[in-house]
Amino acid sequence: MRSFERKNIKAMEGYTPGEQPEAQSVIKLNTNENPYPASQSVADVLKSLDIASLRRYPSPTARKFREVAAELHRVEPENIIATNGGDELLRLLLTTFVEVGESIGVADPSYSLYPVLAAIHDCSVKRVPLTSGWELPDDFAEKMNAFGVKLTFIVNPHAPSGKLIQAEELAGIAQNFDGILVIDEAYVDFVDPEKNYNAIELIKRFDNVIILRTLSKGYSLAGLRFGYGIASTNLIEPMQGKTKDSYNMDAISQQLGIASLRDQTAAKLTWKAVRDERSRMVLEFNRLGLTSLPSQANFLLVEIPDGVAGGAEALYQIFKNEKILVRFFNEQRLKNRLRITVGTPEENGALLRVLKIAMNIQV
Ligand SMILES: Cc1ncc(COP(=O)(O)O)c(C=O)c1O
């Protein structure tokens, strides 16, 4: 058969998503989903859906959702765009603001979808390595300027380390960087409130900052595919009015998205439960002699020395044989680590039991 792919598409590798087994019995600690279900108010809206309402097209701009999100974040609805998962926002950012042939910047390592989106758009990726302490180098913005990148991504809290960068450091980068700074806050809901982290204000100070949010993690709706962007109108309007699909958010998603953002109380309970378990797991790992980077996300990047259960990849396989999925990345800085999503106390307990057996510790 002939190939009709564009040259860059033919040359590229697709994104490899984490394993998504169909069996419910598998303990899934590999794709950073929230271990608790979405709130009862979301379930109620879903149950009361009127099939006849689906006859009509939905709001093309997710108008009501934008109002609700704007109120929550103390911005205007014009500062919000709703997208089919955060991933759609990332794609829109490239197709709207980056010329084919230009380059984008990433802190390395980070979310492995960024280079894939760049390859689809036929633009190159400039990588600035994180320091040995998994931090951004002080001259991050200057380095990106020297590369001439049009747009750069920073995940905060960082994935896969979980490290949090304070908003003022981000402000410094926004100030010094000549292109668009995407602050990917996919995991921000799990940040300890005591950190007083809030980067939303940056969109009022800088016209080159856009913040990504998603309902996939904090609001337990990864299956729904709902994300949004927060930025000044020079960034929102071109995507909202020109480059997104005309009806990118279906009617059901819009209703569930609204219900989920409105029920902050229920979502916050899950964030607290995840934070509590995160702290407990850090202690449990430490007790076993294992260390993880300080995480403000719903996962821990745990170092697995080669002497422990044969190393990270072998341990990943041991967990898998016991129907527990975690994430192993076969990459330079990550191959001696496992990224483990924080689950329910029962799920985490099961993981610890298997770990202790693998380490020959009596359980
Ligand atoms: C760093 C980061 N950004 C964005 C996303 C996008 O999430 P979604 O498309 O489910 O909203 C993810 C999902 O895993 C992620 O890890």
Side-chain angles (χ1 to χ4, degrees), residues 281-292:
M281 289 301 279
V282 169
L283 292 178
E284 295 283 2
F285 286 129
N286 287 349
R287 247 179 236 143
L288 297 172
L290 300 177
T291 54
S292 57

Side-chain angles (χ1 to χ4, degrees), residues 85-87 90 111 114 155 159 184 186-187 212 214 216-217 225-227:
D87 287 348
L90 298 173
Y111 188 26
Y114 302 147
V155 192
D184 182 338
Y187 300 101
L212 176 149
T214 177
S216 293
K217 321 284 179 179
R225 312 306 303 130
F226 204 122

